[in-house]
Amino acid sequence: MTIAERIAAYRDALERWLEARFGGTWVDEWARGLYHGMISHPAYEIVELEAEDREDAFMVACFPDAFGIPSPVSYYTAELLPYLEDEFEAWERRMWDRGSIIERKGRQNHL
């Protein structure tokens, strides 16, 4: 048995073991993980953070009195509170915990 044949036999045995253990070939799994880690996940993270920022801006515009900023808009947006009560609590907690908007945007853009 030549070295090339031994390597091929070893790779086949490894492929069969990985396929039995994990399902699919390990190269496919590795490539899928690499794509997700390098391209897909960071893109989703950026989109989620931007959507969260826009939601925060909407909530601040609707309920500025939650932070002691008087606004006549709050009188009209009080009707939205029953629809937004689940998000309001989480939003208020998130806004109090946030350091600064400049710091958050800097982290988003890797500055």
Side-chain angles (χ1 to χ4, degrees), residues 6 46 62 90 108:
R6 289 175 71 186
I46 290 170
C62 289
Q108 272 181 278

Side-chain angles (χ1 to χ4, degrees), residues 6 17 21 40 44 66 76-77 80 91 96 100 105 111:
R6 289 175 71 186
W17 181 79
R21 172 124 186 184
S40 178
Y44 285 127
Y76 300 105
T77 58
L80 297 174
W91 166 74
W96 283 116
S100 76
K105 286 295 184 183
L111 298 176

Side-chain angles (χ1 to χ4, degrees), residues 38-79:
M38 290 181 65
I39 298 167
S40 178
H41 179 70
Y44 285 127
E45 188 176 322
I46 290 170
V47 169
E48 287 171 356
L49 288 174
E50 188 61 35
E52 192 176 88
D53 286 345
R54 294 211 178 188
E55 181 183 347
D56 291 347
F58 171 74
M59 295 291 272
V60 166
C62 289
F63 305 108
D65 55 339
F67 295 98
I69 303 168
S71 174
V73 174
S74 299
Y75 176 77
Y76 300 105
T77 58
E79 297 171 1

